[in-house]
């Protein structure tokens, strides 16, 4: 059973930065698809970024150049570095793990963390 615990959400002003962390137990973050998702009030959940078992990354267009997904295998932790934050980035953010290793961006994820709130004020 994979368990994911995330942290790092906060309230920041436009242009600020945050780093979200997601620590896994029960599996290695480097052995499967890992992704960051977000859901804003009244909107559907959307994928923000994914990382494949070979380290390849994919981002949704709206965060390209601002967000970076990465992982520390020694700490078994996934990160999302978010820079130049905008009010439209405000959402609950979730990390998730899938049972596949590749083609991670358009995939049903099986394991989910509890979520962490990111609020960006103008």
């Amino acid at each position: 059973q994979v368990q994911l615990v995330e942290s790092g959400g906060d309230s920041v002003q436009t242009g600020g930065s945050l780093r979200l962390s997601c620590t896994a137990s029960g599996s290695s973050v480097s052995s499967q698809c890992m992704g960051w998702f977000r859901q804003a009030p009244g909107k559907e959940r959307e994928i923000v970024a994914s990382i494949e078992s070979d380290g390849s990354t994919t981002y949704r267009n709206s965060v390209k150049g601002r967000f970076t997904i990465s992982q520390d295998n020694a700490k078994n932790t996934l990160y999302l570095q978010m820079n130049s934050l905008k009010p439209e980035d405000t959402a609950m953010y979730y990390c998730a793990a899938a049972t596949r290793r590749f083609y991670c961006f358009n995939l049903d994820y099986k394991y989910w963390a509890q979520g962490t709130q990111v609020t960006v004020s103008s």
Side-chain angles (χ1 to χ4, degrees), residues 15-66:
S17 296
L18 285 173
R19 189 178 78 160
L20 306 183
S21 300
C22 174
T23 300
S25 59
S27 72
S28 170
V29 296
S30 63
S31 66
Q32 60 202 349
C33 290
M34 299 292 298
W36 286 100
F37 293 75
R38 67 186 180 188
Q39 187 168 19
K43 295 188 177 181
E44 292 187 355
R45 186 174 61 200
E46 61 185 19
I47 189 167
V48 175
S50 65
I51 185 165
E52 311 205 348
S53 60
D54 65 356
S56 301
T57 59
T58 306
Y59 300 90
R60 70 180 305 107
N61 287 336
S62 60
V63 307
K64 283 181 181 178
R66 300 188 298 122

Side-chain angles (χ1 to χ4, degrees), residues 2-9 20-25 35-39 45 91-97 110-118:
V2 178
Q3 292 188 321
L4 303 170
V5 178
E6 61 178 299
S7 61
L20 306 183
S21 300
C22 174
T23 300
S25 59
W36 286 100
F37 293 75
R38 67 186 180 188
Q39 187 168 19
R45 186 174 61 200
M92 186 72 77
Y93 282 72
Y94 302 88
C95 75
K110 184 174 182 179
Y111 304 103
W112 294 86
Q114 80 280 10
T116 188
Q117 179 68 38
V118 171

Side-chain angles (χ1 to χ4, degrees), residues 68-110:
T68 303
I69 187 173
S70 64
Q71 58 195 27
D72 183 328
N73 296 335
K75 296 181 178 179
N76 210 28
T77 298
L78 180 74
Y79 299 103
L80 184 68
Q81 178 67 44
M82 304 185 293
N83 299 327
S84 303
L85 282 161
K86 303 176 181 180
E88 51 264 43
D89 295 318
T90 295
M92 186 72 77
Y93 282 72
Y94 302 88
C95 75
T99 55
R100 286 176 54 175
R101 298 179 62 205
F102 297 103
Y103 305 105
C104 303
F105 197 72
N106 296 305
L107 186 66
D108 288 333
Y109 281 69
K110 184 174 182 179

